[in-house]
Structure formats: C-alpha cells, structure tokens
Amino acid sequence: MKDLSKPIKKVLVVYLMFFVILFSYIGYLEIFKADDLVNSQYNQRLWDRRDEVIRGTIYDRDMTVLSSSSLKDGEQIRVYNGGEACAQFLGYLDKNYGITGLESVYDKELSTKDLDLLDGVSSVFGEDYEMPKGYNIVSTIDFELQTYIYNLMKTYNGAVVVINPSTGEVLASVSTPSYDTNTMKEDWDSLADSPYSPLFDRASSGLYPPGSTFKMITAISSLENIDGIEDKVFNDNGKLVFNENESLSNYNGRAYGDIDIETAFTKSSNVVFGSLGIELGNEKLKNTAEKFYFNEEIPSRDIEITKSQFPTLKKDEKGNIAQSAIGQGEVLATPYEMAFIAATIANGGKAMEIHGVKEILKSDNSIYKSVKNKEDKDIIDKEVSDKLTVYMRSVVENGTGQNANIQGLDVCGKTGTSDTSINGKDIMDSWFAGFSKTGKTNIALAVVIEDAKDNGENAAYIAGKIFNYSSSIDLD
C-alpha cells in the first residue's frame, strides 16, 4: 500500500506557510499600517462619522471665516469663503475626490463631537436635539494678505509663501492658477484635465531649480568653510571654463572684473559662485544644503512639504558641481524651502518649525488647545546670518533685486532665474527670496513665477508689493 504521509506532510507545510504569511501580513497591517487604513479617505466609516457632526469652522488668524458647514435639507454643505485665494492651503473635502490640505491634516478635530452632558440628555429624549458640532481651527494665515497676494499672482503660474521668521507661522501660502472649491465637483473634469494643473499646490509641492536664490546657501557654505573668503578677490571675466566642451557664463555674458564675495553676491556672478562651488566641493556644499533640510522634510506639524533635492556628485564632475552651486543642474526646491532659508537668515540663524494653525477651539470658540511653537534650532551662527543680511540688503539696494526696494523698509533678498525644460520647451522661472527687517511684523517670503524670462525682476517686483502691503497691516 502506497505511503500517503509524505504528500500529506508537504500539503500541511504549504498550508502552514500560507498561514504564517497571512498572519504576518495581518500583524504588519495592525502594527505599521493601522492608522493609515483607519484614516484613509476611502474608509466609509470615517465618512459616516463625519456625517454625524457639523464639521468645524476654519478661520484665519483674525477669526475671519474661511470654510464652514451647515445643514440644508438634512445634508451637510461645506462652504469655502476663502475662495480661490485659499483653495490649495485649505484643501477640499469630497466623498468622490477625497480630502486635502488643512481639511485633511485636522480632519479628526474638525469632525470630533463637541458634546456636554446636556447635549447627551437631549439626544436621548429627543427634545430640541441639535447635531453636535466639531472643533474649530484658527489658522495662521492672514486672509487680507492672502487675497492681496492672490490678486497679484492670478495672471501668473507660480507661488508665494510668506512666513513670520520669529515664530514659523505661515502668514500666506498662495498657488496659481487656482480653483473655486465651492464648484470643484462640477468643474472637476476641466480642472483635472487642465495643462496648468490648478489643483496642484505649487507652494508646498512644486519643485523648481532655485537658480541664483540658491547662492544664499553657497555663500553660507563659503563663509563657514573657506578661510579668508571675505578678503579674497575673484577675477570675473564673464565665463568659467571647465574643459573644451563645458563652461559657465554670467547672465547676458556680463564680466565684472576683480570683485569680492559681497559684490559677486550683489551682481549674482555665476562665475564666482560656480568657482566657489568647485572650491568647496560637493560634500561641503551638500552638508550646508542639508542643514536647511534639502533631501529631508522641513519640520512642520501640519503642512506637507515635498522634499527639496540636492545631488551627490563625484569630485571630477566640476561642471555639475559648479551648476549646483548656482541652483541649477539637479538642484530642486519648493517655494516653502526658499522661504524657510530666508526666514532662518532673518531670525539670526535660528530655524522655527513651519506651521499653519494657531489654535484649536471648541464649538463655542473657547480654547481647546493652543498650538505652541516648538523650540528653535540653531542652523547657522548669527555672525554668518548677519553677513548674509548685509549681502542681501546690497542686492536690493544696488543689485538685481532693486524692484523689491521699498522706501522706509530694510528689504533684503536674492533674485534668481532658473533654466529648465518642459516637454522640449526651454523655461526660465523668476525667483525672489528675502525678508524685511522693519515694519509692524517682519516677514520672510519666497516668490516664484514660471516661464518669466526676466532675471528675477518680476518676482522681485511682486515681493516689493508684498513687503509694502504687509507693513501697513497688523499681522500679530
């Protein structure tokens, strides 16, 4: 008689392996993915929970209503008073298209039942029952400033980020083109198919070559790593030659002659800063960039910011190293990144955690929780930040950033033009990153305008308008 024990054992081993794999996967989901699954926009139980509560209101920093909910014929309606100016920052909430922005980050609080004992009693007896309301959110943005910037930018594709350097509060976050969240459902197909990507948040997720605004990082790295850099004289003849096939030229081929680092920064000399990149080498320049969170996530409790990128290059890639030192090649940055750099310099080298919410309130607007600033982090010495401040002030007074110069305000900044290619078309984006040292509230900002072809002049002009306007309103 044939022995059946061996094939039976093999089958049992196979089944045992399947059970081990199955339970391992269940354990993995339970331990590592439980929160993601529970909070997934496709979890119907979450939508049911949201429908049990009148969703909380989102305010600006001065308690202007930006988004709110009410009942109409038994259905909850979300109204976005922030309009197109706030669309990407606030995000949207829709059963078909999901949830984004602050609506997503603070979904739990906005849909948390704010009940007291009497509410519970009335619900049991059915007398004068009112649907419970969720917690309210006070954001850090100033709606007046946000709207002003949106109106400045709405004819461009681009983004603006404005930060309070001493607190890390986001005072404005604008991405254009935008959309009307109130009609998003009806407009979805045209929005999704638009070549201009209005649903995309360029401020937090747009990755652009930062161009000469990156010279802030190269200047910092040079001051920290090259002895006697401030006394060094560079001969700028308009072109830096690497070999017979590769070279780097200044904008429009300008030659500046014998200049120091401050003048090179003021004039935005590619020749000098390309040579500084080669002298520093990839490792030192990359280390400085990474102190400002290139290749990492910028610390933020409630804004999802795409990682900016700085490459790892070999020592003999001199052309690529020089390109990286002027914010070209494989260097990519978000507007939040460049505003963060400017804010850190403005704050004496101390970096504050970026955040978009001040307080969480109960339904009666009494404080449930205040969002406290996390401790600052020293990224660079104050002596270095003070020197950069002088350089950046010179750019606005005497150099490429004069369009941002506002009488009565000590505006400091750096312009940039970044070269890239999209679908075979050469694109030149216009950049300005900087800060003001005087005014009711000091601000730091970054402006990027896509395909501007203007050596940063348009971005500097927009920045100047923002500095001037912000100095006249209360941002405390």
Side-chain angles (χ1 to χ4, degrees), residues 60-63 138-142 169 171 358 475-476:
D60 88 331
R61 63 189 301 107
D62 296 320
M63 300 301 290
V138 181
S139 73
T140 59
I141 67 168
D142 182 272
E169 291 178 346
L171 302 174
K358 289 172 65 72
L475 295 172
D476 291 332

Side-chain angles (χ1 to χ4, degrees), residues 19-39:
F19 274 115
V20 170
I21 293 171
L22 177 62
F23 281 105
S24 296
Y25 183 64
I26 292 172
Y28 167 76
L29 292 177
E30 183 69 27
I31 296 171
F32 297 106
K33 292 294 183 179
D35 289 342
D36 291 341
L37 293 172
V38 169
N39 295 313

Side-chain angles (χ1 to χ4, degrees), residues 77 146 188 201 203 230 263 269 312 318 336 358 374 429:
I77 306 297
Q146 181 91 1
W188 183 264
D201 187 355
E230 293 177 274
T263 304
S269 167
T312 299
K318 290 187 177 180
Y336 265 95
K358 289 172 65 72
K374 290 191 176 179
D429 299 329

Side-chain angles (χ1 to χ4, degrees), residues 119-194:
D119 290 326
V121 171
S122 65
S123 66
V124 171
F125 291 99
E127 297 175 359
D128 301 323
Y129 174 71
E130 292 184 6
M131 184 178 288
K133 297 179 180 179
Y135 291 149
N136 301 321
I137 301 295
V138 181
S139 73
T140 59
I141 67 168
D142 182 272
F143 182 54
E144 187 178 349
L145 179 63
Q146 181 91 1
T147 303
Y148 177 79
I149 294 173
Y150 174 74
N151 288 330
L152 286 176
M153 288 289 294
K154 65 183 178 182
T155 58
Y156 302 108
N157 294 347
V160 176
V161 174
V162 182
I163 297 171
N164 183 327
S166 63
T167 65
E169 291 178 346
V170 177
L171 302 174
S173 180
V174 174
S175 177
T176 54
S178 189
Y179 60 96
D180 186 348
T181 319
N182 296 301
T183 61
M184 185 194 72
K185 196 168 185 176
E186 295 81 0
D187 300 338
W188 183 264
D189 288 342
S190 62
L191 292 172
D193 294 338
S194 171

Side-chain angles (χ1 to χ4, degrees), residues 215-230 232-234 240 242 248 259-265 269-282 284-285 318 321-326 391:
K215 290 172 184 172
M216 293 186 292
I217 296 293
T218 306
I220 289 169
S221 193
S222 299
L223 290 166
E224 291 180 332
N225 294 294
I226 301 177
D227 291 336
I229 183 64
E230 293 177 274
K232 191 170 183 177
V233 176
F234 302 87
L240 179 63
F242 310 118
L248 178 64
I259 54 176
D260 60 10
I261 186 173
E262 180 179 340
T263 304
F265 192 89
S269 167
N270 291 337
V271 170
V272 171
F273 275 84
S275 65
L276 285 172
I278 293 172
E279 185 173 353
L280 286 164
N282 175 251
K284 288 180 180 177
L285 192 53
K318 290 187 177 180
I321 292 172
Q323 289 284 349
S324 72
I326 64 167
Y391 295 178

Side-chain angles (χ1 to χ4, degrees), residues 191-253:
L191 292 172
D193 294 338
S194 171
Y196 303 109
S197 304
L199 294 167
F200 181 64
D201 187 355
R202 287 164 162 82
S204 63
S205 300
L207 286 171
Y208 302 87
S212 290
T213 57
F214 188 82
K215 290 172 184 172
M216 293 186 292
I217 296 293
T218 306
I220 289 169
S221 193
S222 299
L223 290 166
E224 291 180 332
N225 294 294
I226 301 177
D227 291 336
I229 183 64
E230 293 177 274
D231 298 323
K232 191 170 183 177
V233 176
F234 302 87
N235 178 252
D236 181 348
N237 62 9
K239 180 180 287 189
L240 179 63
V241 178
F242 310 118
N243 53 53
E244 60 183 17
N245 297 318
E246 292 181 295
S247 64
L248 178 64
S249 298
N250 291 331
Y251 186 75
N252 285 338

Side-chain angles (χ1 to χ4, degrees), residues 14-73:
V14 171
Y15 273 102
L16 179 61
M17 289 175 62
F18 278 124
F19 274 115
V20 170
I21 293 171
L22 177 62
F23 281 105
S24 296
Y25 183 64
I26 292 172
Y28 167 76
L29 292 177
E30 183 69 27
I31 296 171
F32 297 106
K33 292 294 183 179
D35 289 342
D36 291 341
L37 293 172
V38 169
N39 295 313
S40 169
Q41 64 188 49
Y42 304 108
N43 184 347
Q44 186 58 47
R45 290 185 180 181
L46 278 182
W47 289 106
D48 292 340
R49 188 192 75 187
R50 294 183 187 112
D51 288 339
E52 295 173 356
V53 179
I54 296 179
R55 192 171 183 80
T57 298
I58 300 178
Y59 298 97
D60 88 331
R61 63 189 301 107
D62 296 320
M63 300 301 290
T64 299
V65 174
L66 300 179
S67 63
S68 60
S69 292
S70 60
L71 289 178
K72 184 178 180 181
D73 300 327

